[in-house]
Amino acid sequence: MSSVAIIDYGAGNLHSAAKAFERMARALGGVDILVTADPEQVRQADRIMLPGVGAFADCKAGLDAVLGMIEVLEEQVIRGGKPFLGVCVGMQLMASEGREKAVTAGLGWIPGAVERIRPSDPQLKIPHMGWNTITKTRPHALLEGIPDGPDGLHAYFVHSYHLVTEDDAMRIAITDYGGALTACVGRDNLFGAQFHPEKSQALGLRLIDNFLRWTP
């Protein structure tokens, strides 16, 4: 049986994320979903998911506080090549740094900075909250079978900041909110979604299913 570790570091939407993963794992069969704060259990997992809700600095501090977790992530994800999915602030933590109130170092996996959303239309409120379509900027296995563009499926967003990548090739999908915002990033065995798959109904469930099948 394969396994997915959903990391509990005090900053994630763990209950609904675990339920969505468990639903797709049952349909697929042979996949164990584990919510854990134990680095050793993360080390043993076949796939790793990092959630996150709140401020970048607070989430990074929470992750730093779990003794050995960042070291295991570097070992298993960066050097070991295990499939990794970051969601919302979990995706933002993949960046070089966050610029929310103060500059905070991220994991440095996706070169770029997490910056405040500045819509061209001043009538648009921050945070960007609600349902939006996404537009793929390049193909990716985790977005296979997901209709995109103006008539595509909708994803659920709640954020005031987004990841501005240094390398356009690492930006996989965008959404429009008074300008293009990063919706998905990735490289190699890494993928990040700014929206919440567990709240995004058909789009989110397909993305989770794709992740459970993904062999980068």
Side-chain angles (χ1 to χ4, degrees):
M1 176 178 285
S2 66
S3 61
V4 179
I6 300 176
I7 299 175
D8 179 2
Y9 62 109
N13 188 22
L14 293 172
H15 180 73
S16 58
K19 290 298 182 185
F21 270 79
E22 288 165 0
R23 174 179 173 181
M24 300 316 295
R26 283 195 300 271
L28 188 60
V31 182
D32 187 31
I33 307 300
L34 179 68
V35 177
T36 181
D38 183 349
E40 186 56 36
Q41 290 184 328
V42 174
R43 178 179 280 116
Q44 298 301 321
D46 299 294
R47 302 168 192 276
I48 300 169
M49 186 270 203
L50 182 67
V53 175
F56 185 102
D58 292 342
C59 289
K60 182 56 163 49
L63 192 59
D64 287 338
V66 182
L67 188 64
M69 187 63 79
I70 288 181
E71 290 78 8
V72 165
L73 287 174
E74 291 285 343
E75 170 195 296
Q76 296 297 311
V77 176
I78 300 304
R79 297 194 295 277
K82 286 183 179 177
F84 175 89
L85 172 63
V87 169
C88 195
V89 183
M91 173 262 224
Q92 294 180 1
L93 289 173
M94 297 163 69
S96 305
E97 64 183 33
R99 297 176 180 173
E100 186 173 352
K101 297 181 182 177
V103 175
T104 304
L107 294 170
W109 297 351
I110 301 288
V114 178
E115 300 183 359
R116 185 167 178 79
I117 298 169
R118 302 189 185 280
S120 59
D121 182 353
Q123 299 300 313
L124 292 174
K125 295 180 179 180
I126 301 299
H128 167 219
M129 181 167 62
W131 296 90
N132 280 75
T133 58
I134 65 172
T135 298
K136 302 168 193 174
T137 55
R138 68 179 179 88
H140 194 281
L142 265 65
L143 298 180
E144 283 185 9
I146 295 176
D148 68 326
D151 298 321
L153 295 177
H154 286 70
Y156 186 77
F157 290 84
V158 184
H159 62 128
S160 299
Y161 291 76
H162 75 125
L163 203 171
V164 180
T165 58
E166 292 181 6
D167 182 351
D168 286 344
M170 295 187 186
R171 187 166 69 168
I172 293 169
I174 59 174
T175 190
D176 183 79
Y177 191 70
L181 302 179
T182 301
C184 299
V185 297
R187 66 174 179 87
D188 307 320
N189 58 307
L190 309 174
F191 189 90
Q194 179 61 65
F195 53 86
H196 288 270
E198 73 279 7
K199 294 180 179 293
S200 295
Q201 298 180 359
L203 184 154
L205 292 175
R206 180 58 188 262
L207 188 149
I208 291 169
D209 183 66
N210 287 341
F211 177 68
L212 295 177
R213 300 170 185 271
W214 188 30
T215 54

